[in-house]
Amino acid sequence: MKPHAEIAEVWPRDGRVRLVGHIHGHPAEGRWRLLLTRRSHAEQRLDYPAQVKGDRFEGELPVADLAAATDTAEAEIGTGVVVGVGVGVGVEEWDIHLTDGEVELRAGRRLDDIHGKKKIMVFPEQWVRGVGVRPYYTVKDNLSLECRTGAST
């Protein structure tokens, strides 16, 4: 199995998405950060500090940053830095990695023998400034974020 950031807990609440997990298959030394990459514009990224003890990591990201990045071509927001071009409409997806600056480990949940999490594990959506942000598992059991523009329901 490829090295990855094994997700143990996802906490979408209070305007943040908190992630807890373990670094699997790679040494956990050094400084690590959560890295979000906008799938439709790979040059646009957000990153946030992650705390690592042993192989356990923990980090969180404010959903307001994702909402702003979905509508903004280039900005510096909160503690995350957005760089890129293009304005988001409809649905934007952001892939989550854990990085030490040299390697990017895809965040996902593969060690639990539950396949097809996309249809099984559904997380709540948080709305800010007309953008809904929701974590979800992909068809490959990776963790990503979906940002939907429009009115909340």
Side-chain angles (χ1 to χ4, degrees):
M1 181 174 294
K2 288 173 56 173
H4 66 280
E6 179 72 10
I7 298 294
E9 300 174 29
V10 179
W11 296 94
R13 64 181 182 200
D14 301 328
R16 300 190 168 283
V17 177
R18 183 172 163 256
L19 303 174
V20 179
H22 298 274
I23 297 172
H24 178 78
H26 191 285
E29 296 91 24
R31 294 182 54 170
W32 290 84
R33 300 185 64 77
L34 287 174
L35 177 66
L36 282 60
T37 304
R38 189 173 178 180
R39 198 175 294 166
S40 65
H41 299 284
E43 71 280 358
Q44 189 174 4
R45 295 176 160 206
L46 295 167
D47 74 55
Y48 302 90
Q51 295 75 43
V52 177
K53 283 188 178 180
D55 68 348
R56 183 182 186 278
F57 71 86
E58 184 174 330
E60 63 179 38
L61 52 112
V63 297
D65 285 6
L66 287 160
T70 299
D71 293 331
T72 305
E74 185 171 308
E76 183 168 312
I77 308 162
T79 59
V81 176
V82 182
V83 179
V85 295
V87 176
V89 294
V91 176
E92 284 291 336
E93 296 167 309
W94 294 76
D95 294 325
I96 303 171
H97 292 81
L98 192 65
T99 184
D100 64 357
E102 293 181 24
V103 66
E104 293 180 9
L105 303 178
R106 188 67 167 97
R109 191 165 181 168
R110 300 182 190 90
L111 302 177
D112 61 3
D113 292 329
I114 300 171
H115 303 285
K117 290 177 194 63
K118 184 176 181 85
K119 294 182 179 181
I120 299 169
M121 297 181 178
V122 179
F123 298 102
E125 188 169 47
Q126 298 182 75
W127 284 88
V128 61
R129 293 193 300 269
V131 177
V133 178
R134 178 184 68 86
Y136 74 97
Y137 283 104
T138 69
V139 294
K140 293 184 178 181
D141 294 332
N142 293 319
L143 189 65
S144 292
L145 296 162
E146 176 184 80
C147 297
R148 290 189 311 117
T149 57
S152 64
T153 56

